[in-house]
Amino acid sequence: MYTAHPDRYADLPYRRTGRSGLKLPALSLGLWHNFGPDRPAATQRAILRRAFDLGVTHFDLANNYGPPPGAAESALGEALRADFAPYRDELVISTKAGYLMWPGPYGEWGSRKYLLSSLDQSLHRMGLDHVDIFYSHRFDPETPLEETMGALHSAVQQGKALYVGVSNYSAEQTREAARILGELGTPLLIHQPRYSMLDRRPEDEGLLDALDELQVGSIAYSPLEQGLLTGRYLDGIPEDSRAASDSPFLNSDAVTGELVGRLRALNEIAASRGQTLAQLALAWVLRGGRVTSALVGASSPEQLADSVAAARNLGFDADELARIDAIVRP
């Protein structure tokens, strides 16, 4: 029988999400990879246990996470029943719908039919009566935004979600989503963008500015750029790495000699701060408090603990930030 660590709230900082009453840990666990039938169930449960023991109270999913789609939610459901039933009210569990989940015209995008059907399926897989956050996973250019946001509002009204969010929306789309939800009486809680030292689009395209203006929280996914911002690629492409596989998210062509040189330079900055490259990358995303939380994946409890240790040093001086920019954006 799993018993959570008594000091699980001692070290990891929590940040208020926008203007809501909800606080999230600075590091959250994403179940995008490493949770499915191709990974040992014991390892998956060990990662979740270690996360909670370290104060990582937020588990982030989507309907299509696996593989196969739905597997991550099913894996979490098993862990919830086996280990976390006594701790459900200490957990923030989020899921999303928007990408392809089942065949036919009702299995993706942003229609009311798809979003609410998907949420029902997600709750069934996880064995829950509600999630804490339900997201529209991507903007649907062919469905009125009023319908998509109305479906999120209905999820809250039906008691199947406590809060709602959006992911992969532009600044303009986010402003309109927030306006519609505000008129419905269900505030937009959070936005989940892709953001890292190597991917500055939320800064460059005004999304972070929009979230500041709207007082909406943010949680960054891929802050380690699919593993590039770890120590794995400092000497090229390891045979067992994601870039060496047939992954659609990172391929060997992306790991150029120039990029490896930049990664090594960033690693020198990390070492001067007493951090690993991954810890530097996570701390950079969380610098200054504009980002509420950073999502990390983990293939082992030890890897997760290394990521969480980034929260011990989130401060940067002006020289460090300038050096990073000179490397990444020469």
Side-chain angles (χ1 to χ4, degrees), residues 34-330:
N34 303 314
F35 286 83
D38 59 337
R39 305 287 175 138
T43 301
Q44 296 174 42
R45 286 179 62 185
I47 293 169
L48 292 167
R49 288 177 172 187
R50 187 66 177 278
F52 192 59
D53 284 345
L54 291 170
V56 179
T57 54
H58 178 207
F59 299 158
D60 178 78
L61 303 100
N63 58 355
N64 63 334
Y65 287 177
E73 290 179 333
S74 295
L76 179 62
E78 293 174 6
L80 291 173
R81 288 186 289 273
D83 294 330
F84 295 100
Y87 306 106
R88 171 63 183 99
D89 290 334
E90 295 185 49
L91 291 171
V92 175
I93 297 173
S94 60
T95 196
K96 315 175 199 70
Y99 287 94
L100 182 64
M101 188 60 190
W102 60 82
Y106 319 121
E108 62 178 328
W109 293 107
S111 71
R112 179 181 182 85
K113 178 172 177 59
Y114 166 65
L115 291 175
L116 295 180
S117 296
S118 177
L119 178 56
D120 284 342
Q121 293 182 22
S122 292
L123 293 174
H124 179 75
R125 282 189 289 269
M126 291 186 283
L128 297 174
D129 59 6
H130 73 278
V131 292
D132 297 282
I133 308 171
F134 182 48
Y135 288 87
S136 168
H137 206 168
R138 60 172 170 171
F139 178 78
D140 183 348
E142 297 185 353
T143 296
L145 194 55
E146 288 81 1
E147 178 176 341
T148 302
M149 295 303 105
L152 298 185
H153 171 66
S154 291
V156 173
Q157 294 297 103
Q158 294 169 7
K160 297 176 181 178
L162 300 184
Y163 301 93
V164 298
V166 297
S167 180
N168 301 306
Y169 278 50
S170 70
E172 181 181 356
Q173 292 160 355
T174 301
R175 284 191 173 92
E176 183 64 5
R179 181 192 67 77
I180 294 168
L181 284 168
E183 291 179 354
L184 292 171
T186 296
L188 178 62
L189 174 80
I190 194 167
H191 188 296
Q192 186 173 133
R194 180 167 182 157
Y195 183 44
S196 74
M197 286 195 293
L198 300 179
D199 188 343
R200 306 290 188 88
R201 284 175 293 177
E203 293 178 17
D204 297 339
E205 297 173 2
L207 177 61
L208 293 184
D209 291 337
L211 298 179
D212 288 343
E213 294 166 13
L214 296 167
Q215 294 183 282
V216 169
S218 59
I219 180 166
Y221 76 88
S222 292
L224 301 180
E225 279 297 309
Q226 298 295 311
L228 285 176
L229 289 169
T230 68
R232 299 214 71 197
Y233 297 93
L234 296 176
D235 296 310
I237 303 174
E239 291 183 1
D240 61 344
S241 67
R242 188 169 295 160
S245 70
D246 58 355
S247 170
F249 305 108
L250 180 65
N251 58 61
S252 58
D253 292 341
V255 187
T256 63
E258 179 185 8
L259 176 61
V260 170
R262 292 183 181 184
L263 296 178
R264 289 175 178 170
L266 291 171
N267 191 54
E268 291 178 4
I269 296 176
S272 71
R273 291 167 50 86
Q275 292 181 316
T276 65
L277 177 55
Q279 290 167 350
L280 172 73
L282 293 169
W284 183 91
V285 165
L286 293 166
R287 75 199 188 286
R290 295 188 83 186
V291 171
T292 312
S293 184
L295 277 169
V296 295
S299 58
S300 68
E302 294 75 22
Q303 185 184 46
L304 176 70
D306 181 78
S307 293
V308 172
R312 296 174 188 161
N313 183 9
L314 300 180
F316 288 82
D317 61 36
D319 178 65
E320 288 174 321
L321 293 175
R323 289 169 61 197
I324 290 170
D325 281 351
I327 294 166
V328 176
R329 312 179 85 168

